[in-house]
Amino acid sequence: MNYEELNAYVLRAQLGDRDAAEILCEALTPMILSSMRTYRAISRPADRDDLVQIGYEALLGAIRDFDAARGVYFLYFLKVRLYAALRTETRRRARASERDVYDSADEDGITFDWPDVQARAPFDQVELRQSFEILSPRERQAMEFVLATSGTMRELAEQSGVGVETAKTWLKRARKKLQTELGKDRRK
């Protein structure tokens, strides 16, 4: 299919011709699959199917929004739309998987639950102080609040005068830094 035929099908699809839209979907499926291959984060067949669906949604949105008078070829317009949609989805999934590292959650925010009673045993104070020295004052405050009170992020946010998402970010950064620091100690 050449550019003129492609533009004719796009114009017909914009005017409501379902057959033209189906022909475009069928003809541009390889482009959708090729775009997906650039994101190698696809590990399960369900992820692949979801991304194919997002690719088709981007295609239909591109058909709807394309304006040939702007002097851009439809395939280029579609390629940009596909990459943006797939990149957004893979980033959304990555952020969602990062948020799943917390032990428990309630409607107020995130709480920290120790896995068993033995884990509540006092830490060696010297090692704990040394580990907390790498944290910023805000991160230290968040970590100490969660460890000492098992409070929610909403409570920490209200106590600190910031938003809940900010308090979550402090705790997330603190945990990351401590995990990195503890990992260094184990490797030595």
Side-chain angles (χ1 to χ4, degrees), residues 112-123 147:
F112 184 80
D113 293 335
W114 289 94
D116 60 14
V117 177
Q118 296 297 327
R120 290 182 184 262
F123 287 82
L147 291 174

Side-chain angles (χ1 to χ4, degrees), residues 77-97:
F77 184 73
L78 173 61
K79 186 175 184 178
V80 170
R81 287 287 186 102
L82 276 172
Y83 285 152
L86 294 171
R87 183 181 64 234
T88 299
E89 180 63 18
T90 53
R91 286 180 177 175
R92 185 194 63 78
R93 287 174 187 242
R95 283 192 306 269
S97 68

Side-chain angles (χ1 to χ4, degrees), residues 60-78:
L60 294 175
I63 291 170
R64 180 192 66 229
D65 298 338
F66 180 69
D67 183 9
R70 292 186 180 238
V72 176
Y73 290 114
F74 178 74
L75 287 179
Y76 178 76
F77 184 73
L78 173 61

Side-chain angles (χ1 to χ4, degrees), residues 20-53:
E22 285 181 27
I23 290 170
L24 285 170
C25 285
E26 193 174 310
L28 296 172
T29 296
M31 186 175 187
I32 292 171
L33 297 175
S34 172
S35 299
M36 285 175 36
R37 286 187 203 106
T38 61
Y39 296 98
R40 292 181 175 90
I42 304 167
S43 58
R44 299 179 315 218
D47 291 340
R48 181 186 182 279
D49 294 341
D50 288 346
L51 290 177
V52 168
Q53 183 67 29

Side-chain angles (χ1 to χ4, degrees), residues 92-106:
R92 185 194 63 78
R93 287 174 187 242
R95 283 192 306 269
S97 68
E98 286 176 5
R99 285 191 297 261
D100 292 341
V101 298
Y102 297 108
D103 296 326
S104 67
D106 60 12

